[in-house]
Amino acid sequence: MDKKVYLNMCQKNGCSGPVHVIEKGDTLYSIAQKYHTRVRILLDLNPFVDIYNLQPGDEICIPAETMPDQMEFRPYVVKKDETIGSVLQKFSISFEELARVNKVLSNQKLPPGTILLLPMK
């Protein structure tokens, strides 16, 4: 049987994203990974969820965020001694915008040759 995911079914409950139907073995962590979000965000959107007792058939709201593969972006090759901060300043973008398309970021120097994906404006 195919996994059920309903799109925009929970708008009446204040959620504009898809609804995930819990299946046996699902955890909030595995669901967060699947939808490229964080467990904390799932908990905030679904305050009624008992994280220790997810039941097959239960439905939880998933945030309606643009996924990286649905965004336009351009590659940028990091230069010697550049940091995340210097790249943000150079392109006048926020860390959140950059982090949306680059999963692992820190405020350390980036090795020369690193390729970052920059969102198109």
Side-chain angles (χ1 to χ4, degrees), residues 76-120:
Y76 174 74
V77 179
V78 175
K79 310 289 187 283
K80 183 178 180 183
D81 296 326
E82 281 189 312
T83 65
I84 294 295
S86 66
V87 172
L88 296 176
Q89 186 175 21
K90 184 175 188 173
F91 292 98
S92 300
I93 59 175
S94 71
F95 181 80
E96 290 77 17
E97 289 175 300
L98 192 62
R100 245 183 295 186
V101 292
N102 298 277
K103 293 185 184 233
V104 181
L105 294 173
S106 66
N107 217 7
Q108 301 173 13
K109 285 186 180 179
L110 297 171
T114 300
I115 297 174
L116 297 176
L117 302 176
L118 303 175
M120 299 289 282

Side-chain angles (χ1 to χ4, degrees), residues 64-76:
E65 271 206 32
T66 306
M67 301 306 290
D69 59 343
Q70 297 170 329
M71 301 175 91
E72 290 185 32
F73 57 85
R74 66 179 186 256
Y76 174 74

